[in-house]
Amino acid sequence: MCPAVYCRDVTETTPLITSPEPTVEGFVREYLHELNFTQGTILERATDNDRYLALARTVRHYLMSRWMQTTVSQYRTQAKAVAYLSAEYLLGRQLDNALIATGLEEVAAEALASLGLDLDELREVEVEPGLGNGGLGRLAACFVDSLATMSVPAIGYGIRYEYGIFRQTFSDGRQVEEPDTWLDNGDPWEFAHPEHEVTVGFGGHTEKFTDDDGRERSRWVPGWQVLGVPYNSMVPGYRNGRVNTLRLWSARATHAFDLKIFNYGDYAEAVRSQTFAENISKVLYPEDSTPQGKELRLQQQYFFVACSIRDFLDQLLPPGFDLHDLPDRIVFQLNDTHPVIAIPELMRILVDERGFEWDDAWQVTQRCFAYTCHTLLPEALEVWPVELVGRLLPRHLEIIYRINDEFLAQVRERSGGNELLVRRMSIIAEHPERSVRMAFLATVGGSRVNGVAELHSQLLRDKVLADFADFWPEKFTNVTNGVTPRRFVKLANPGLSGLITEAIGDGWVTDLDRLRELEPYADDAEFRRRFREVKAANKDRLVSFLAARDGIAIDPATMLDVMVKRLHEYKRQLLKLLHVVTLYDRITSGELATADVTPRTVVFGAKAAPGYVMAKEIIALINHVGAVVAAHPDVSRVLRIAFPANYNVTVAETLIPAADLSEQISLAGKEASGTGNMKFALNGALTIGTDDGANVEIRRLVGDENFFLFGLTEPEASAVAEAGYRPSTYYEENPSLRRALDLVARGTFSGGDASVFEPIVSNLLTEDRFMVLADYQAYIDAQDRVERAYADPDAWSRSAVLNVARSGFFSSDRSVRDYLDRIWHAAPLTAD
């Protein structure tokens, strides 16, 4: 059997397995075989995990032959492929995705029932892999799903983190990070291939030598090496017979165990190399406020791209392939700056190992890479100290210097020697310390640079990378993000999915533009009634889920007001919290009678980076406000905060379909795109938001009357900042804001201790970098509009239906089509 996509030896007569028959009897037979001969147990004695693993492997059987056939077909055709390089893949649970991709849901449920087992119960045993932190990783997962569903030759490359993102718990309302032991019970969806391990070097030195042709060459002599072991997982397309591959790399030591040292009694030293190597793939985003953390993050980044490029060149290309033609065979998509060190790595391989002349290698490399920028925040554009790069990757630093020298020579020539421009565009920053600017390297070394929403792409061109956009306007384009409708509508919201299919047929699952056919149903009273029933059922499902998972009780009869996303100040969870505090103040002061307040449950879900002190303080404040609100006899009748710990894809799939209001309230010009905003709209929640990221496109598509817009625009926010923003002015001039902040400052939510949340109050009054106070009143006014609108359930449901009907643009399938047309210039494979 061809092991995944390692197919250099396949021939026209390579035999392939066929899938089992998709019958109840066949499924039962496969399931019992797995339970008995793989798990080594019988049905009566099997644990829940035994039964789940047997189920997962049984479903896997129905994908295996398609995986092999896809792999062999792609190898034989040598069609241009996409290699997606991403430090994160936030996949979610795989069982249900595999079931809907194969169409086996009913067969599996009936087969298990005949054995006295419940499919729903076994679903809950699966542990979600924590291989991502938020939108970046979920986008990567959506894209590999779409690439498979659209039959595009593709492979996703990343890291198989042993612990992944931390598991979040709360202690006295404060975030506590615990290891996410997602691999403890095994992962039935992965296949290890240690026989195809890749050796990766670090440190050491470079040296000059003269080759057999008399050319002076350079070579890297690493100081130490680690091994990258590939783990392959299937990425099934939706009922199209195609299964692509996700390949994640795990780090191992080249010499894991020294028996001689062990026998001398130094047990720790005997396994030191193993521990050192395995740290590389131990945890997603190690805390990098220390020099050691920074070094480990750079090691991770180089490790996975070095493994991935070597893998593609050595395993996926036929023997004798002319690497001058590599751009016709592959495009490496850089998902943010994390994989950008791949550019000098490919140059090193071509020049140092394959004997290319520099200019030829550079032409190939530039055509092989494209870069997606996911941020507008300068601090999020990775910058690595030259000292660190030189110590870990000395040959790569030499290559980066030469790339920069030749690029700056072009800048000088075209600018007439404008040295200020040269300094601004240099890949090497000189202050505050000599550093490599990875976004600049990606822009210089790639064929295309794209933003991820119209506004974001415009700001990239006009502000963040303006000099480069002037220099290479043809390199810059936009591809607005999207989400997969398979997971986030069909799988997550079966009630809505069934209602849509009943109305317009099932073609929308792979052609989301067809949701437009729902528009007339917004004016159908019966359809609106059934739509409300689906939303109510989703709320009931959420109530049961949160009660069982977190012990959180929420009232399904309240408006569900949801803000779930990574905790960062620019996303402005503080603004949402100030609204809650304002409602608390209005009720407790007698300004508002509880009878005049629309009952609402505000749900937060967010993790803060372990070293991000302010973000963790905000989490604590949210939880403390929630506790005080819940304890107040009057306020708690109409207002509650729910903050389930450890928000992940599994929680999202239950929470998003139940939401009424989607909070997308970042300061305009700070959010690149967002994808949560798209998921909420597709599931019938109305958005309250600023004109930021993809909110701009959502509002334009769903209509102003179906969107609650507020706040400064990006030009207005920039003008306020340039004029000298004084947040204390807003505090002094707005009595409502002043009372809300004073409640926090006086210790109302911290047991009377005014010092507990003083850093948050001081930051808002003196800096407020993301203008929470400037947008406060507009946001409160918009929330008042929300309450008036929600008071008319029929009109609200009409707007919600229109949100669903007009959000088909936000399919990740459409995003991938845009990448294919504008950047990758690859095409789907036709059926064999």
Side-chain angles (χ1 to χ4, degrees):
M1 182 189 298
C2 171
V5 286
Y6 296 111
C7 294
R8 296 193 74 159
D9 299 322
V10 300
T11 68
E12 293 298 324
T13 58
T14 297
L16 295 173
I17 61 170
T18 57
S19 296
E21 285 297 316
T23 63
V24 171
E25 295 76 13
F27 196 97
V28 168
R29 186 167 54 251
E30 293 286 332
Y31 180 80
L32 291 176
H33 183 276
E34 279 297 324
L35 194 64
N36 298 158
F37 295 103
T38 302
Q39 293 307 112
T41 188
I42 60 174
L43 184 63
E44 290 77 9
R45 294 182 61 85
T47 66
D48 286 344
N49 193 58
D50 287 330
R51 292 168 176 170
Y52 160 71
L53 290 174
L55 173 59
R57 292 190 175 105
T58 301
V59 175
R60 196 176 73 177
H61 289 180
Y62 290 84
L63 291 171
M64 290 294 293
S65 66
R66 305 176 196 185
W67 193 20
M68 302 305 163
Q69 289 161 0
T70 299
T71 294
V72 171
S73 175
Q74 291 177 184
Y75 184 80
R76 286 172 177 164
T77 62
Q78 287 294 302
K80 186 173 184 179
V82 177
Y84 202 78
L85 300 179
S86 179
E88 299 184 35
Y89 288 93
L90 197 56
L91 299 168
R93 291 174 172 174
Q94 295 302 291
L95 174 61
D96 278 333
N97 191 62
L99 285 171
I100 68 165
T102 54
L104 281 172
E105 307 103 307
E106 293 183 7
V107 167
E110 188 175 341
L112 292 171
S114 73
L115 297 171
L117 302 176
D118 187 324
L119 175 59
D120 289 336
E121 291 180 2
L122 293 185
R123 282 183 171 117
E124 296 306 310
V125 178
E126 182 173 5
V127 178
E128 176 181 326
L131 302 178
N133 184 41
L136 183 80
R138 187 52 239 174
L139 183 77
C142 285
F143 279 1
V144 295
D145 172 90
S146 286
L147 285 162
T149 295
M150 298 168 67
S151 298
V152 177
I155 181 168
Y157 283 117
I159 301 178
R160 180 183 180 264
Y161 303 101
E162 184 177 345
Y163 294 107
I165 193 66
F166 61 86
R167 180 175 180 81
Q168 180 193 53
T169 62
F170 297 131
S171 176
D172 189 28
R174 295 186 174 275
Q175 174 177 291
V176 177
E177 301 94 26
E178 297 178 348
D180 180 14
T181 54
W182 71 281
L183 285 169
D184 274 4
N185 293 321
D187 179 7
W189 304 102
E190 67 179 12
F191 298 80
H193 286 284
E195 73 278 13
H196 292 290
E197 64 191 16
V198 176
T199 302
V200 179
F202 290 98
H205 64 277
T206 65
E207 57 188 26
K208 301 291 185 182
F209 70 100
T210 302
D211 68 11
D212 294 341
D213 297 324
R215 296 183 302 171
E216 185 177 271
R217 304 274 300 282
S218 295
R219 64 180 159 221
W220 178 23
V221 183
W224 70 94
Q225 295 175 319
V226 300
L227 298 176
V229 177
Y231 286 75
N232 298 327
S233 297
M234 293 178 285
V235 182
Y238 181 75
R239 301 183 185 178
N240 65 346
R242 296 287 178 176
V243 181
N244 284 343
T245 299
L246 175 65
R247 181 160 302 143
L248 304 179
W249 298 96
S250 181
R252 296 289 183 268
T254 53
H255 302 289
F257 182 74
D258 191 315
L259 182 60
K260 184 176 180 180
I261 293 176
F262 183 86
N263 286 336
Y264 277 117
D266 193 343
Y267 306 135
E269 181 63 22
V271 296
R272 186 183 67 83
S273 63
Q274 179 179 3
T275 302
F276 176 82
E278 292 182 359
N279 280 341
I280 292 175
S281 56
K282 189 71 73 178
V283 177
L284 170 67
Y285 295 156
E287 211 283 293
D288 64 351
S289 61
T290 65
Q292 296 89 341
K294 285 185 172 65
E295 182 169 337
L296 182 53
R297 281 188 72 163
L298 183 56
Q299 287 175 355
Q300 286 185 332
Q301 294 178 8
Y302 177 64
F303 165 75
F304 101 82
V305 299
C307 288
S308 303
I309 291 176
R310 180 70 67 185
D311 177 78
F312 188 86
L313 297 182
D314 291 352
Q315 299 295 340
L316 304 184
L317 294 176
F321 183 87
D322 185 348
L323 291 181
H324 289 88
D325 298 327
L326 189 61
D328 298 325
R329 180 65 180 83
I330 191 66
V331 56
F332 293 102
Q333 186 65 38
L334 305 170
N335 192 31
D336 217 8
T337 51
H338 311 121
V340 171
I341 197 68
I343 292 172
E345 171 66 2
L346 182 57
M347 284 294 292
R348 185 190 68 81
I349 292 171
L350 294 178
V351 173
D352 294 359
E353 297 183 9
R354 304 301 176 95
F356 273 51
E357 295 295 335
W358 177 274
D359 289 345
D360 291 342
W362 185 235
Q363 277 195 342
V364 169
T365 297
Q366 279 191 303
R367 292 173 58 206
C368 280
F369 287 98
Y371 164 51
T372 300
C373 179
H374 284 278
T375 187
L376 291 165
L377 302 179
E379 63 267 28
L381 297 170
E382 285 186 308
V383 175
W384 293 112
V386 160
E387 182 277 329
L388 175 59
V389 178
R391 178 158 43 84
L392 279 183
L393 305 168
R395 179 58 179 144
H396 297 75
L397 184 60
E398 291 178 354
I399 291 169
I400 291 168
Y401 278 147
R402 180 164 178 182
I403 291 171
N404 194 47
D405 288 345
E406 296 192 358
F407 166 61
L408 294 183
Q410 296 178 52
V411 175
R412 286 189 177 95
E413 181 179 354
R414 285 178 51 176
S415 68
N418 183 338
E419 288 302 314
L420 184 59
L421 181 64
V422 167
R423 285 175 173 271
R424 289 205 309 265
M425 297 184 73
S426 175
I427 295 169
I428 306 299
E430 301 296 338
H431 298 286
E433 65 177 326
R434 205 147 201 261
S435 306
V436 181
R437 298 190 270 208
M438 303 307 281
F440 288 16
L441 177 58
T443 304
V444 173
S447 61
R448 290 289 186 274
V449 178
N450 74 280
V452 288
E454 288 179 4
L455 176 61
H456 175 239
S457 295
Q458 177 190 329
L459 293 173
L460 274 185
R461 290 189 298 265
D462 295 348
K463 293 188 175 183
V464 179
L465 296 172
D467 292 327
F468 292 91
D470 289 341
F471 197 80
W472 285 309
E474 72 282 359
K475 277 196 180 189
F476 286 76
T477 189
N478 172 64
V479 178
T480 298
N481 284 343
V483 302
T484 170
R486 270 76 62 184
R487 181 173 290 274
F488 287 106
V489 183
K490 183 172 178 59
L491 192 157
N493 199 340
L496 179 60
S497 175
L499 188 60
I500 294 171
T501 296
E502 183 181 328
I504 65 172
D506 63 2
W508 62 272
V509 181
T510 53
D511 181 7
L512 208 58
D513 287 336
R514 287 195 56 191
L515 289 182
R516 276 283 180 180
E517 298 171 30
L518 282 177
E519 280 210 39
Y521 291 90
D523 294 317
D524 183 325
E526 175 61 15
F527 187 87
R528 294 196 302 271
R529 183 191 65 77
R530 294 182 62 192
F531 184 90
R532 290 194 294 274
E533 287 180 349
V534 168
K535 182 68 73 173
N538 288 337
K539 286 185 174 183
D540 289 338
R541 181 164 61 112
L542 176 67
V543 168
S544 300
F545 176 84
L546 291 181
R549 177 186 183 270
D550 301 274
I552 292 174
I554 65 173
D555 182 354
T558 60
M559 179 204 299
L560 202 62
D561 179 355
V562 181
M563 187 171 192
V564 286
K565 51 187 77 242
R566 178 168 52 92
L567 202 304
H568 195 291
E569 288 170 275
Y570 87 81
K571 295 179 183 289
R572 300 204 296 191
Q573 284 92 346
L574 269 178
L575 183 57
K576 173 73 259 178
L577 189 62
L578 282 177
H579 171 236
V580 173
V581 174
T582 295
L583 287 175
Y584 173 88
D585 174 59
R586 287 177 173 178
I587 296 168
T588 56
S589 68
E591 180 182 335
L592 269 180
T594 54
D596 297 328
V597 178
T598 298
R600 84 167 73 198
T601 300
V602 178
V603 181
F604 289 94
K607 292 182 180 180
Y612 191 169
V613 175
M614 183 57 70
K616 295 174 79 169
E617 286 297 305
I618 292 169
I619 286 177
L621 179 58
I622 292 170
N623 280 322
H624 279 72
V625 170
V628 171
V629 165
H632 196 285
D634 293 328
V635 179
S636 61
R637 288 162 51 197
V638 293
L639 181 63
R640 286 293 182 104
I641 287 179
F643 197 151
N646 206 49
Y647 180 73
N648 57 17
V649 178
T650 302
V651 178
E653 290 170 2
T654 306
L655 176 58
I656 291 173
D660 295 304
L661 186 66
S662 165
E663 298 277 350
Q664 309 298 330
I665 59 177
S666 53
L667 176 64
K670 300 302 179 185
E671 181 70 83
S673 167
T675 52
N677 47 5
M678 304 169 187
K679 295 163 193 165
F680 281 106
L682 280 166
N683 281 275
L686 273 60
T687 303
I688 181 168
T690 54
D691 251 348
D692 195 27
N695 286 359
V696 177
E697 289 145 288
I698 292 175
R699 181 172 65 86
R700 185 173 66 234
L701 287 166
V702 306
D704 286 334
E705 67 279 13
N706 303 307
F707 187 107
F708 299 98
L709 176 68
F710 77 95
L712 298 168
T713 64
E714 190 279 329
E716 290 169 345
S718 295
V720 169
E722 290 169 9
Y725 176 54
R726 290 186 66 248
S728 58
T729 301
Y730 294 88
Y731 169 83
E732 293 161 357
E733 296 178 353
N734 189 320
S736 177
L737 172 59
R738 188 165 60 250
R739 289 198 306 271
L741 266 182
D742 286 350
L743 285 171
V744 178
R746 288 198 300 265
T748 304
F749 307 108
S750 49
D753 187 344
S755 67
V756 174
F757 297 116
E758 172 59 25
I760 293 177
V761 176
S762 292
N763 179 273
L764 285 175
L765 290 175
T766 60
E767 184 177 357
D768 190 18
R769 180 181 170 197
F770 300 106
M771 299 187 183
V772 169
L773 304 194
D775 271 350
Y776 166 84
Q777 190 57 54
Y779 179 59
I780 298 299
D781 294 343
Q783 287 286 0
D784 290 342
R785 297 200 305 274
V786 167
E787 294 216 355
R788 291 194 294 271
Y790 195 74
D792 185 343
D794 200 46
W796 183 278
S797 58
R798 182 181 185 278
S799 289
V801 171
L802 288 173
N803 266 260
V804 176
R806 294 172 179 175
S807 293
F809 173 80
F810 299 108
S811 169
S812 52
D813 299 348
R814 188 270 315 149
S815 298
V816 165
R817 282 196 300 271
D818 287 349
Y819 274 102
L820 292 170
D821 294 342
R822 301 173 190 174
I823 298 173
W824 298 336
H825 307 299
L829 283 180
T830 56
D832 294 332

